[in-house]
Amino acid sequence: MGIFEQFNNEYNKAIDAKDISRLFTLLGNEFEVDKDCNKQEYVKIMSLKSVMAGMLGDFKMVILYSEEAYKYCEDREKWDYMVKWGVNYLPVMFSSMRVAKKQELLKLGLEQLNISSKLADQAAASYEKLVSACLRSFFALYLGDKEKARSYFNGIEFVPIPINDFNQSGKMVHMFSHIFKGFVVAIELQDKELLMNLLKVISIDDQILHGEENLFLKFQRTLADIIDVRKEFKADFDVFYRSSEKISDSFPFFHIFVQYLEQKNVKALDMFFAVFK
């Protein structure tokens, strides 16, 4: 068993046990890896430590570990690790820290995501560009900049995911982990065009999108299909469903949407989506 595999096993045990003290202990443990001889193991450990530091609210260490992971990863992995670096700031949104501190840290996260976008542009990778756009837009909207949030989708190609990639768990992981943040943005901005473009990307049944159903039903049925297929999408949906109140100052319309879902108020949801432009 490799060093990263040992580390990852201990991390998963701590997560399964919901044992915060065990995570702190694990984060402080030194898993000796020769970064010159075994870069891949070292990068994986630094990346996971960055995730743990974000979960535990130690954002100075998020920066330190993320810088190490990014410094030693291969060029082809740089977009992946830059996205992970930015995402590690997401717990800030759900924390009780002061607003000014939240904004300071989230701006740092947005900086990393801006770099991820440039890397995706260089690679001319349409799916990577969309993932970066969803994340950047979500961060910008949380920070109160609606125009910038909209602008990040300019020039983005909304290419449908090949049907074969839906059932392959190792493919399109970042896409299914983060595209729902784009839906949060579309709901908050009440942007019909953006919502339909995002639905087009993840739709398994195009007949739903081109049918006579109203916008809410198209949204509901398309998401239901994906939630059944991709655990990453379901996990991200669940996070924002459970935590919408914590971000309601920045996403008031999304919070109203979640309240209607909780009430199973289909009529209100139909009306809510009917005003999208």
Side-chain angles (χ1 to χ4, degrees):
M1 183 184 293
I3 296 173
F4 171 72
E5 193 174 349
Q6 294 175 42
F7 185 78
N8 193 46
N9 284 345
E10 291 300 315
Y11 165 77
N12 286 328
K13 288 176 185 176
I15 293 296
D16 290 343
K18 298 180 180 178
D19 189 337
I20 298 297
S21 62
R22 196 167 174 179
L23 280 176
F24 272 111
T25 301
L26 184 59
L27 191 60
N29 284 351
E30 292 299 327
F31 280 71
E32 294 297 333
V33 178
D34 186 335
K35 56 193 174 191
D36 293 319
C37 296
N38 201 339
K39 286 183 182 179
Q40 205 167 29
E41 288 274 286
Y42 181 73
V43 166
K44 286 180 180 178
I45 288 175
M46 290 299 104
S47 181
L48 185 51
K49 280 195 169 190
S50 178
V51 171
M52 293 165 63
M55 292 170 64
L56 298 171
D58 189 343
F59 293 97
K60 287 183 180 178
M61 297 310 290
V62 166
I63 295 171
L64 188 150
Y65 292 132
S66 296
E67 283 179 342
E68 282 294 289
Y70 189 74
K71 187 191 307 180
Y72 288 95
C73 71
E74 301 290 337
D75 285 347
R76 58 184 168 78
E77 298 173 318
K78 288 192 181 296
W79 176 83
D80 177 81
Y81 281 102
M82 193 54 71
V83 166
K84 289 177 180 177
W85 187 346
V87 167
N88 285 341
Y89 288 93
L90 275 172
V92 170
M93 296 185 186
F94 308 112
S95 75
S96 57
M97 65 177 64
R98 292 180 294 108
V99 171
K101 186 63 176 176
K102 281 187 178 184
Q103 290 182 338
E104 176 191 338
L105 290 168
L106 290 170
K107 285 176 182 176
L108 288 175
L110 185 54
E111 285 178 16
Q112 314 316 320
L113 295 170
N114 287 338
I115 295 171
S116 81
S117 180
K118 290 177 183 176
L119 291 167
D121 284 343
Q122 291 168 12
S126 59
Y127 291 120
E128 284 82 349
K129 287 180 184 179
L130 177 55
V131 171
S132 292
C134 287
L135 285 163
R136 295 166 79 203
S137 183
F138 182 77
F139 272 64
L141 197 51
Y142 185 93
L143 291 166
D145 195 334
K146 290 185 179 180
E147 290 310 308
K148 187 170 281 186
R150 290 181 193 276
S151 73
Y152 287 141
F153 289 102
N154 291 343
I156 294 295
E157 293 182 80
F158 296 90
V159 181
I161 296 170
I163 196 69
N164 290 338
D165 289 345
F166 281 92
N167 296 315
Q168 296 189 41
S169 59
K171 282 198 169 186
M172 311 292 285
V173 172
H174 277 308
M175 175 65 77
F176 288 111
S177 297
H178 302 304
I179 194 171
F180 185 70
K181 297 173 183 69
F183 282 107
V184 175
V185 171
I187 290 168
E188 186 57 38
L189 296 177
Q190 297 184 298
D191 188 326
K192 182 178 180 179
E193 182 180 2
L194 176 57
L195 188 80
M196 286 298 294
N197 280 333
L198 292 169
L199 289 175
K200 181 176 73 173
V201 173
I202 64 167
S203 175
I204 293 173
D205 184 356
D206 286 348
Q207 287 186 344
I208 293 174
L209 297 187
H210 299 302
E212 297 300 320
E213 292 88 351
N214 63 34
L215 185 59
F216 170 62
L217 285 178
K218 290 177 180 180
F219 172 81
Q220 180 190 43
R221 291 173 182 174
T222 302
L223 263 64
D225 286 342
I226 304 307
I227 284 171
D228 286 342
V229 174
R230 292 302 292 241
K231 63 180 182 180
E232 304 96 335
F233 187 91
K234 183 180 186 303
D236 208 39
F237 175 88
D238 287 347
V239 166
F240 291 102
Y241 180 82
R242 293 194 307 267
S243 307
S244 70
E245 188 170 359
K246 292 181 179 179
I247 58 173
S248 59
D249 286 347
S250 296
F251 297 93
F253 286 114
F254 179 73
H255 182 50
I256 292 169
F257 160 72
V258 170
Q259 288 179 311
Y260 288 153
L261 276 185
E262 288 175 336
Q263 298 162 7
K264 298 181 180 178
N265 191 337
V266 176
K267 185 175 181 180
L269 285 162
D270 287 343
M271 293 173 65
F272 179 81
F273 278 79
V275 301
F276 283 27
K277 298 178 181 178

Coordinates of all heavy atoms in Angstrom, one line a residue, residues 18-96:
K18 N -17.0 11.1 11.4 CA -17.3 12.5 11.7 C -16.4 12.9 12.9 O -16.9 13.6 13.8 CB -18.8 12.7 12.0 CG -19.6 12.3 10.8 CD -21.1 12.6 11.0 CE -21.9 12.2 9.8 NZ -23.4 12.4 10.0
D19 N -15.2 12.5 12.9 CA -14.2 12.8 14.0 C -13.3 13.9 13.7 O -12.3 13.8 13.0 CB -13.4 11.5 14.3 CG -12.6 11.6 15.6 OD1 -12.3 12.7 16.0 OD2 -12.3 10.5 16.1
I20 N -13.6 15.1 14.1 CA -12.9 16.3 13.8 C -11.5 16.3 14.4 O -10.5 16.6 13.8 CB -13.6 17.6 14.3 CG1 -14.9 17.8 13.6 CG2 -12.7 18.8 14.1 CD1 -14.8 18.0 12.1
S21 N -11.4 15.8 15.7 CA -10.1 15.7 16.3 C -9.1 14.7 15.6 O -7.9 15.0 15.5 CB -10.2 15.2 17.8 OG -10.8 13.9 17.8
R22 N -9.7 13.7 15.0 CA -8.9 12.8 14.2 C -8.4 13.4 12.9 O -7.2 13.2 12.5 CB -9.8 11.6 13.9 CG -9.0 10.3 13.4 CD -10.0 9.2 13.4 NE -9.4 8.0 12.8 CZ -10.1 6.8 12.8 NH1 -11.3 6.7 13.2 NH2 -9.5 5.7 12.2
L23 N -9.2 14.3 12.3 CA -8.7 15.1 11.2 C -7.6 16.0 11.5 O -6.6 16.1 10.8 CB -9.9 15.8 10.6 CG -10.9 15.1 9.7 CD1 -12.0 16.0 9.3 CD2 -10.2 14.5 8.5
F24 N -7.7 16.7 12.7 CA -6.6 17.6 13.1 C -5.3 16.8 13.3 O -4.3 17.3 12.9 CB -7.0 18.3 14.4 CG -7.8 19.6 14.2 CD1 -9.1 19.7 14.6 CD2 -7.2 20.7 13.7 CE1 -9.8 20.8 14.4 CE2 -7.9 21.9 13.5 CZ -9.2 22.0 13.9
T25 N -5.5 15.6 13.9 CA -4.3 14.8 14.2 C -3.7 14.4 12.9 O -2.4 14.4 12.7 CB -4.7 13.6 15.0 OG1 -5.2 14.0 16.3 CG2 -3.4 12.7 15.3
L26 N -4.5 13.9 12.0 CA -4.0 13.4 10.7 C -3.4 14.6 9.9 O -2.3 14.3 9.2 CB -5.2 12.8 9.9 CG -4.9 12.2 8.5 CD1 -3.9 11.0 8.7 CD2 -6.2 11.7 7.9
L27 N -3.9 15.7 9.9 CA -3.4 16.9 9.2 C -2.0 17.2 9.7 O -1.1 17.7 9.0 CB -4.3 18.1 9.3 CG -4.0 19.3 8.4 CD1 -4.1 18.9 7.0 CD2 -5.0 20.4 8.7
G28 N -1.8 17.0 11.0 CA -0.5 17.3 11.6 C 0.6 16.2 11.4 O 1.8 16.5 11.6
N29 N 0.1 15.0 11.0 CA 1.1 13.9 10.8 C 1.9 14.1 9.6 O 1.5 14.6 8.6 CB 0.3 12.6 10.7 CG -0.2 12.1 12.0 OD1 0.1 12.6 13.0 ND2 -1.1 11.1 11.9
E30 N 3.2 13.8 9.7 CA 4.1 13.9 8.6 C 4.1 12.6 7.8 O 4.6 11.6 8.4 CB 5.5 14.3 9.0 CG 5.6 15.7 9.6 CD 5.2 16.8 8.6 OE1 5.5 16.5 7.4 OE2 4.6 17.8 8.9
F31 N 3.6 12.5 6.6 CA 3.7 11.3 5.8 C 4.9 11.6 4.9 O 4.8 12.3 3.9 CB 2.4 11.1 5.0 CG 1.3 10.4 5.8 CD1 0.7 11.1 6.8 CD2 1.0 9.1 5.6 CE1 -0.3 10.5 7.6 CE2 0.0 8.5 6.4 CZ -0.6 9.2 7.4
E32 N 6.0 11.0 5.2 CA 7.3 11.3 4.5 C 7.2 10.8 3.1 O 7.0 9.6 2.8 CB 8.4 10.7 5.2 CG 8.7 11.3 6.6 CD 9.1 12.8 6.5 OE1 9.6 13.2 5.5 OE2 8.8 13.5 7.5
V33 N 7.4 11.7 2.1 CA 7.4 11.4 0.7 C 8.6 12.2 0.1 O 8.7 13.4 0.3 CB 6.1 11.7 0.0 CG1 6.2 11.4 -1.5 CG2 4.9 11.0 0.6
D34 N 9.4 11.5 -0.6 CA 10.5 12.2 -1.4 C 9.8 12.9 -2.6 O 9.5 12.2 -3.6 CB 11.6 11.3 -1.8 CG 12.8 12.0 -2.4 OD1 12.6 13.1 -2.9 OD2 13.9 11.4 -2.3
K35 N 9.6 14.2 -2.5 CA 8.9 14.9 -3.6 C 9.7 14.9 -4.9 O 9.1 15.1 -6.0 CB 8.5 16.3 -3.2 CG 9.6 17.2 -2.8 CD 9.1 18.4 -2.1 CE 10.2 19.3 -1.6 NZ 9.7 20.3 -0.7
D36 N 11.0 14.7 -4.9 CA 11.8 14.6 -6.1 C 11.7 13.3 -6.8 O 11.7 13.2 -8.0 CB 13.2 15.0 -5.8 CG 13.4 16.4 -5.4 OD1 12.7 17.3 -6.0 OD2 14.1 16.7 -4.4
C37 N 11.5 12.2 -5.9 CA 11.5 10.8 -6.5 C 10.1 10.4 -6.7 O 9.8 9.5 -7.5 CB 12.2 9.9 -5.5 SG 14.0 10.2 -5.4
N38 N 9.1 10.9 -5.9 CA 7.7 10.4 -6.1 C 6.8 11.6 -6.0 O 6.0 11.8 -5.1 CB 7.4 9.4 -4.9 CG 6.3 8.5 -5.2 OD1 5.4 8.9 -6.1 ND2 6.2 7.4 -4.6
K39 N 6.8 12.4 -7.1 CA 6.0 13.6 -7.1 C 4.5 13.3 -7.0 O 3.8 14.1 -6.4 CB 6.3 14.3 -8.5 CG 7.6 15.1 -8.5 CD 7.8 15.8 -9.8 CE 9.1 16.5 -9.9 NZ 9.3 17.2 -11.2
Q40 N 4.1 12.2 -7.7 CA 2.7 12.0 -7.8 C 2.1 11.7 -6.4 O 1.0 12.3 -6.0 CB 2.4 10.7 -8.6 CG 1.0 10.8 -9.3 CD 0.9 9.7 -10.4 OE1 1.5 8.7 -10.3 NE2 0.0 10.0 -11.3
E41 N 2.8 10.9 -5.6 CA 2.3 10.7 -4.2 C 2.3 12.0 -3.4 O 1.4 12.3 -2.6 CB 3.2 9.7 -3.5 CG 3.1 8.2 -4.0 CD 2.0 7.5 -3.3 OE1 2.2 7.1 -2.2 OE2 0.9 7.3 -4.0
Y42 N 3.4 12.8 -3.5 CA 3.5 14.0 -2.8 C 2.4 15.0 -3.2 O 1.7 15.6 -2.3 CB 4.9 14.6 -3.1 CG 5.1 15.9 -2.3 CD1 5.4 15.9 -1.0 CD2 5.1 17.2 -3.0 CE1 5.6 17.1 -0.3 CE2 5.3 18.4 -2.3 CZ 5.6 18.3 -1.0 OH 5.8 19.5 -0.3
V43 N 2.1 15.1 -4.4 CA 1.1 16.0 -4.9 C -0.3 15.6 -4.4 O -1.1 16.5 -3.9 CB 1.1 16.1 -6.5 CG1 -0.2 16.7 -7.0 CG2 2.3 16.9 -7.0
K44 N -0.6 14.3 -4.4 CA -1.9 13.8 -3.9 C -2.0 14.1 -2.4 O -3.1 14.5 -2.0 CB -2.0 12.3 -4.2 CG -2.3 12.0 -5.6 CD -2.4 10.5 -5.8 CE -2.6 10.1 -7.3 NZ -2.7 8.6 -7.4
I45 N -1.0 13.9 -1.7 CA -1.1 14.1 -0.2 C -1.3 15.6 0.1 O -2.1 16.0 0.9 CB 0.2 13.6 0.5 CG1 0.1 12.1 0.5 CG2 0.3 14.1 1.9 CD1 1.4 11.4 1.1
M46 N -0.5 16.5 -0.6 CA -0.6 17.9 -0.4 C -2.0 18.4 -0.8 O -2.6 19.2 -0.1 CB 0.4 18.7 -1.2 CG 1.9 18.5 -0.8 SD 2.1 19.2 0.9 CE 2.2 17.6 1.8
S47 N -2.6 17.9 -1.9 CA -3.9 18.2 -2.3 C -5.0 17.8 -1.3 O -5.9 18.6 -1.0 CB -4.2 17.6 -3.7 OG -5.5 18.0 -4.1
L48 N -4.9 16.6 -0.8 CA -5.8 16.2 0.2 C -5.7 17.0 1.5 O -6.7 17.3 2.2 CB -5.7 14.7 0.5 CG -6.7 14.0 1.4 CD1 -8.1 14.4 1.0 CD2 -6.5 12.5 1.5
K49 N -4.4 17.3 1.9 CA -4.2 18.1 3.1 C -4.9 19.5 2.9 O -5.4 20.1 3.9 CB -2.7 18.3 3.4 CG -2.1 17.0 4.1 CD -0.8 17.3 4.7 CE -0.3 16.2 5.6 NZ 0.9 16.6 6.4
S50 N -4.8 20.0 1.7 CA -5.5 21.3 1.4 C -7.0 21.2 1.6 O -7.6 22.1 2.2 CB -5.1 21.8 0.0 OG -5.8 23.0 -0.3
V51 N -7.6 20.1 1.1 CA -9.0 19.9 1.4 C -9.3 19.9 2.8 O -10.3 20.5 3.3 CB -9.4 18.6 0.7 CG1 -10.9 18.2 1.1 CG2 -9.3 18.7 -0.8
M52 N -8.5 19.1 3.6 CA -8.7 19.0 5.0 C -8.6 20.3 5.7 O -9.4 20.7 6.6 CB -7.7 18.0 5.6 CG -8.0 16.5 5.1 SD -6.6 15.5 5.5 CE -6.5 15.5 7.3
A53 N -7.6 21.1 5.3 CA -7.4 22.4 6.0 C -8.6 23.3 5.7 O -9.0 24.1 6.6 CB -6.1 23.1 5.4
G54 N -9.1 23.3 4.5 CA -10.3 24.0 4.2 C -11.5 23.6 5.1 O -12.3 24.5 5.6
M55 N -11.7 22.3 5.2 CA -12.8 21.8 6.1 C -12.6 22.2 7.5 O -13.6 22.5 8.2 CB -12.8 20.3 6.0 CG -13.2 19.7 4.7 SD -12.9 17.9 4.6 CE -14.0 17.3 5.8
L56 N -11.4 22.4 8.0 CA -11.1 22.7 9.4 C -10.9 24.2 9.6 O -10.7 24.7 10.7 CB -9.8 22.0 9.9 CG -10.0 20.5 9.9 CD1 -8.6 19.8 10.1 CD2 -11.0 20.0 10.9
G57 N -11.1 25.0 8.5 CA -11.1 26.4 8.6 C -9.7 27.1 8.7 O -9.6 28.2 9.0
D58 N -8.7 26.3 8.3 CA -7.3 26.8 8.4 C -6.9 27.2 7.0 O -6.2 26.5 6.3 CB -6.3 25.8 9.0 CG -4.9 26.4 9.3 OD1 -4.6 27.5 8.7 OD2 -4.2 25.7 10.0
F59 N -7.2 28.4 6.6 CA -7.0 28.8 5.2 C -5.6 29.3 4.8 O -5.2 29.3 3.7 CB -8.1 29.9 4.8 CG -9.4 29.3 4.8 CD1 -10.3 29.5 5.9 CD2 -9.9 28.5 3.7 CE1 -11.5 28.9 5.9 CE2 -11.1 28.0 3.7 CZ -12.0 28.2 4.8
K60 N -4.8 29.5 5.8 CA -3.4 29.8 5.6 C -2.7 28.5 5.1 O -1.9 28.5 4.2 CB -2.7 30.2 6.9 CG -3.0 31.7 7.3 CD -2.2 32.1 8.5 CE -2.6 33.6 8.8 NZ -1.8 34.0 10.1
M61 N -3.2 27.4 5.7 CA -2.6 26.1 5.3 C -3.2 25.6 4.0 O -2.6 24.9 3.3 CB -2.9 25.0 6.4 CG -2.2 25.3 7.7 SD -0.4 25.7 7.5 CE 0.3 24.1 7.1
V62 N -4.4 26.0 3.7 CA -5.0 25.8 2.4 C -4.0 26.3 1.3 O -3.7 25.6 0.3 CB -6.4 26.4 2.2 CG1 -6.8 26.4 0.7 CG2 -7.4 25.6 3.0
I63 N -3.6 27.5 1.5 CA -2.7 28.2 0.6 C -1.4 27.4 0.5 O -0.9 27.1 -0.6 CB -2.4 29.6 0.9 CG1 -3.7 30.4 0.8 CG2 -1.3 30.2 0.1 CD1 -3.6 31.8 1.4
L64 N -0.8 27.1 1.6 CA 0.5 26.4 1.7 C 0.4 25.0 1.0 O 1.3 24.7 0.1 CB 0.9 26.2 3.1 CG 2.3 25.7 3.4 CD1 2.9 26.2 4.7 CD2 2.4 24.2 3.4
Y65 N -0.5 24.2 1.3 CA -0.6 22.9 0.7 C -1.0 22.9 -0.7 O -0.5 22.2 -1.5 CB -1.7 22.0 1.5 CG -1.3 21.7 2.9 CD1 -2.2 21.9 4.0 CD2 0.0 21.2 3.2 CE1 -1.9 21.5 5.3 CE2 0.3 20.8 4.5 CZ -0.6 21.0 5.5 OH -0.3 20.7 6.8
S66 N -1.9 23.9 -1.1 CA -2.3 24.0 -2.5 C -1.1 24.5 -3.4 O -0.9 24.0 -4.5 CB -3.4 25.0 -2.7 OG -4.6 24.5 -2.0
E67 N -0.3 25.4 -2.8 CA 0.9 25.8 -3.6 C 1.9 24.7 -3.8 O 2.4 24.6 -4.9 CB 1.6 27.0 -2.8 CG 0.9 28.3 -2.9 CD 1.6 29.4 -2.1 OE1 2.4 29.0 -1.2 OE2 1.4 30.6 -2.3
E68 N 2.0 23.8 -2.8 CA 2.9 22.7 -3.0 C 2.4 21.7 -4.0 O 3.1 21.2 -4.9 CB 3.1 22.0 -1.6 CG 4.0 22.6 -0.7 CD 5.4 22.6 -1.2 OE1 6.1 21.6 -1.2 OE2 5.9 23.7 -1.6
A69 N 1.1 21.4 -4.0 CA 0.5 20.5 -4.9 C 0.6 21.1 -6.3 O 1.0 20.3 -7.3 CB -1.0 20.3 -4.6
Y70 N 0.4 22.3 -6.5 CA 0.4 23.0 -7.8 C 1.8 23.0 -8.4 O 2.1 22.8 -9.5 CB -0.2 24.4 -7.8 CG -0.4 25.0 -9.1 CD1 -1.4 24.6 -10.0 CD2 0.5 26.0 -9.5 CE1 -1.6 25.2 -11.2 CE2 0.3 26.6 -10.8 CZ -0.7 26.2 -11.6 OH -0.9 26.8 -12.8
K71 N 2.8 23.3 -7.5 CA 4.2 23.4 -7.8 C 4.8 22.1 -8.4 O 5.5 22.1 -9.4 CB 5.0 23.8 -6.6 CG 6.5 24.2 -6.9 CD 7.3 24.3 -5.7 CE 6.7 25.3 -4.7 NZ 7.6 25.4 -3.5
Y72 N 4.3 21.0 -7.9 CA 4.9 19.7 -8.3 C 4.1 18.9 -9.2 O 4.5 17.8 -9.6 CB 5.3 18.9 -7.0 CG 6.5 19.5 -6.3 CD1 6.3 20.4 -5.2 CD2 7.8 19.2 -6.7 CE1 7.4 20.9 -4.5 CE2 8.9 19.7 -6.0 CZ 8.7 20.6 -4.9 OH 9.7 21.2 -4.3
C73 N 2.8 19.3 -9.5 CA 2.0 18.5 -10.4 C 2.5 18.7 -11.8 O 3.1 19.6 -12.2 CB 0.5 18.9 -10.3 SG 0.1 20.5 -10.9
E74 N 2.1 17.7 -12.7 CA 2.4 17.8 -14.1 C 1.6 18.9 -14.8 O 0.5 19.3 -14.3 CB 2.0 16.4 -14.8 CG 2.7 15.2 -14.2 CD 4.2 15.2 -14.5 OE1 4.6 15.9 -15.5 OE2 5.0 14.6 -13.7
D75 N 2.1 19.4 -15.9 CA 1.4 20.5 -16.6 C 0.0 20.1 -17.0 O -0.9 20.9 -16.9 CB 2.2 20.8 -17.9 CG 3.5 21.6 -17.6 OD1 3.6 22.1 -16.5 OD2 4.3 21.7 -18.5
R76 N -0.2 18.8 -17.4 CA -1.6 18.4 -17.8 C -2.5 18.4 -16.6 O -3.7 18.3 -16.8 CB -1.5 17.0 -18.4 CG -0.9 16.0 -17.6 CD -0.8 14.6 -18.3 NE 0.0 13.7 -17.5 CZ -0.4 13.0 -16.5 NH1 -1.6 13.1 -16.1 NH2 0.4 12.1 -15.9
E77 N -2.0 18.4 -15.4 CA -2.8 18.4 -14.2 C -3.1 19.8 -13.6 O -3.8 19.9 -12.6 CB -2.2 17.5 -13.1 CG -2.0 16.1 -13.5 CD -1.2 15.3 -12.5 OE1 -0.2 15.8 -11.9 OE2 -1.5 14.1 -12.2
K78 N -2.5 20.8 -14.1 CA -2.5 22.1 -13.5 C -3.9 22.7 -13.4 O -4.3 23.3 -12.4 CB -1.6 23.1 -14.2 CG -0.1 22.8 -13.9 CD 0.8 23.9 -14.4 CE 2.3 23.5 -14.1 NZ 2.6 23.4 -12.7
W79 N -4.7 22.5 -14.4 CA -6.1 23.0 -14.4 C -6.9 22.3 -13.2 O -7.5 22.9 -12.4 CB -6.8 22.7 -15.7 CG -8.3 23.1 -15.6 CD1 -8.8 24.4 -15.8 CD2 -9.4 22.3 -15.3 NE1 -10.2 24.4 -15.6 CE2 -10.6 23.1 -15.3 CE3 -9.5 20.9 -15.1 CZ2 -11.8 22.6 -15.1 CZ3 -10.8 20.4 -14.8 CH2 -11.9 21.2 -14.8
D80 N -6.7 21.0 -13.2 CA -7.4 20.2 -12.1 C -7.0 20.7 -10.7 O -7.9 20.9 -9.9 CB -7.0 18.7 -12.3 CG -7.6 17.8 -11.2 OD1 -8.7 17.4 -11.4 OD2 -6.8 17.5 -10.3
Y81 N -5.7 20.9 -10.5 CA -5.3 21.3 -9.1 C -5.7 22.8 -8.8 O -6.0 23.1 -7.7 CB -3.8 21.0 -8.9 CG -3.6 19.6 -8.6 CD1 -3.1 18.7 -9.6 CD2 -3.9 19.0 -7.4 CE1 -2.9 17.3 -9.3 CE2 -3.7 17.7 -7.1 CZ -3.3 16.9 -8.0 OH -3.1 15.5 -7.8
M82 N -5.7 23.6 -9.8 CA -6.1 25.0 -9.6 C -7.6 25.1 -9.3 O -8.0 25.9 -8.4 CB -5.8 25.8 -10.8 CG -5.9 27.3 -10.6 SD -4.9 27.9 -9.2 CE -3.2 27.7 -9.8
V83 N -8.4 24.2 -9.9 CA -9.8 24.2 -9.6 C -10.0 23.7 -8.1 O -10.8 24.3 -7.3 CB -10.6 23.2 -10.5 CG1 -12.0 22.9 -10.0 CG2 -10.8 23.9 -11.9
K84 N -9.3 22.6 -7.8 CA -9.3 22.1 -6.4 C -8.9 23.2 -5.4 O -9.5 23.3 -4.3 CB -8.4 20.9 -6.3 CG -9.0 19.7 -7.0 CD -8.0 18.5 -6.8 CE -8.5 17.3 -7.5 NZ -7.5 16.1 -7.5
W85 N -7.9 24.0 -5.7 CA -7.4 25.0 -4.9 C -8.5 26.0 -4.6 O -8.8 26.4 -3.5 CB -6.2 25.7 -5.5 CG -5.5 26.7 -4.7 CD1 -5.9 27.3 -3.5 CD2 -4.2 27.2 -5.0 NE1 -4.9 28.2 -3.1 CE2 -3.9 28.1 -4.0 CE3 -3.2 27.0 -6.0 CZ2 -2.7 28.8 -3.9 CZ3 -2.0 27.7 -6.0 CH2 -1.7 28.6 -4.9
G86 N -9.2 26.5 -5.7 CA -10.3 27.5 -5.5 C -11.4 26.9 -4.7 O -12.0 27.6 -3.9
V87 N -11.8 25.7 -5.0 CA -12.9 25.0 -4.4 C -12.7 24.9 -2.9 O -13.7 24.9 -2.1 CB -13.2 23.7 -5.0 CG1 -14.2 22.8 -4.2 CG2 -13.8 23.9 -6.4
N88 N -11.5 24.8 -2.4 CA -11.2 24.6 -1.0 C -11.6 25.8 -0.2 O -11.6 25.7 1.0 CB -9.7 24.3 -0.8 CG -9.3 22.9 -1.2 OD1 -10.2 22.0 -1.3 ND2 -8.1 22.6 -1.5
Y89 N -11.9 26.9 -0.8 CA -12.4 28.1 -0.1 C -13.9 28.1 0.1 O -14.5 28.9 0.8 CB -12.0 29.4 -0.9 CG -10.5 29.7 -0.8 CD1 -9.6 29.3 -1.7 CD2 -10.0 30.4 0.3 CE1 -8.3 29.6 -1.7 CE2 -8.7 30.7 0.4 CZ -7.8 30.3 -0.6 OH -6.5 30.6 -0.5
L90 N -14.6 27.1 -0.5 CA -16.1 27.1 -0.4 C -16.6 27.0 1.0 O -17.6 27.6 1.3 CB -16.6 25.9 -1.2 CG -16.9 26.2 -2.7 CD1 -17.3 24.9 -3.4 CD2 -18.0 27.2 -2.9
P91 N -15.9 26.3 1.9 CA -16.5 26.2 3.3 C -16.6 27.6 4.0 O -17.4 27.7 4.9 CB -15.4 25.3 4.0 CG -14.9 24.5 3.0 CD -14.8 25.3 1.7
V92 N -15.8 28.6 3.5 CA -15.9 29.9 4.0 C -17.4 30.4 3.9 O -17.9 31.1 4.8 CB -15.0 30.9 3.2 CG1 -15.3 32.3 3.6 CG2 -13.5 30.5 3.5
M93 N -18.1 30.1 2.8 CA -19.4 30.6 2.6 C -20.4 30.2 3.7 O -21.3 30.9 4.1 CB -20.0 30.2 1.3 CG -19.2 30.7 0.1 SD -20.0 30.2 -1.5 CE -18.8 30.9 -2.7
F94 N -20.1 29.0 4.3 CA -21.0 28.4 5.2 C -20.6 28.6 6.7 O -21.2 28.1 7.6 CB -21.2 26.9 5.0 CG -21.6 26.6 3.5 CD1 -20.7 25.9 2.7 CD2 -22.8 27.0 3.0 CE1 -21.0 25.7 1.4 CE2 -23.1 26.7 1.7 CZ -22.3 26.1 0.9
S95 N -19.5 29.4 6.8 CA -18.9 29.6 8.2 C -19.5 30.8 8.9 O -20.3 31.5 8.3 CB -17.4 29.8 8.0 OG -17.1 31.1 7.5
S96 N -19.2 30.9 10.1 CA -19.7 32.0 10.9 C -18.7 33.2 11.1 O -18.8 34.1 11.9 CB -20.1 31.5 12.3 OG -18.9 30.9 13.0

